Amino acid sequence: MITTKQKVHLRSLAHSLKPVFQIGKEGISANQIIDLSNYLHKYELMKVSILNNCLESPENLIAEIEANDIMVIQLIGKTLVLYKQNKKLAKSIDLSKIK
């Protein structure tokens, strides 16, 4: 479980990131979840933009994403910040020091 301070730290790290993934009209598919997981396995943190023509509500998208062991750290407008820990990375984000 991630604490509030850890979420704040992750949001501050994600502030300068640009969205690298878009969710469109059809919502999110199984292949897109795999792509998200692969990206997060390599970088741990990412932003995803939800296009205006997306028919699914952000709450449904968040539920689908979180069902696949990906943490949704923040939803601002149409932008999600996602996190998935990978301790095998050389420059892994260390949340253990933040209590």
Side-chain angles (χ1 to χ4, degrees):
M1 189 69 189
I2 265 185
T3 66
T4 303
K5 287 185 180 184
Q6 290 170 333
K7 283 185 179 183
V8 168
H9 177 69
L10 289 171
R11 285 195 305 252
S12 70
L13 292 174
H15 180 74
S16 62
L17 297 177
K18 301 285 184 212
V20 293
F21 195 82
Q22 295 178 337
I23 299 174
K25 183 174 150 181
E26 300 298 321
I28 194 159
S29 68
N31 287 336
Q32 290 172 324
I33 293 288
I34 291 169
D35 290 340
L36 287 174
S37 290
N38 289 339
Y39 187 90
L40 288 167
H41 182 73
K42 192 171 185 180
Y43 297 105
E44 290 188 309
L45 192 64
M46 72 184 296
K47 278 188 180 178
V48 174
S49 64
I50 303 170
L51 299 179
N52 288 332
N53 64 352
C54 184
L55 300 177
E56 286 193 55
S57 70
E59 292 78 20
N60 289 343
L61 293 172
I62 289 171
E64 287 182 53
I65 291 169
E66 288 183 338
N68 291 284
D69 297 325
I70 299 172
M71 295 179 139
V72 177
I73 301 300
Q74 183 177 35
L75 169 67
I76 292 184
K78 297 273 187 173
T79 303
L80 295 168
V81 175
L82 306 179
Y83 171 73
K84 187 172 186 179
Q85 186 176 23
N86 182 4
K87 293 182 180 180
K88 295 179 182 178
L89 285 177
K91 292 187 176 183
S92 178
I93 299 171
D94 186 15
L95 296 178
S96 63
K97 296 177 184 175
I98 302 167
K99 306 260 184 211

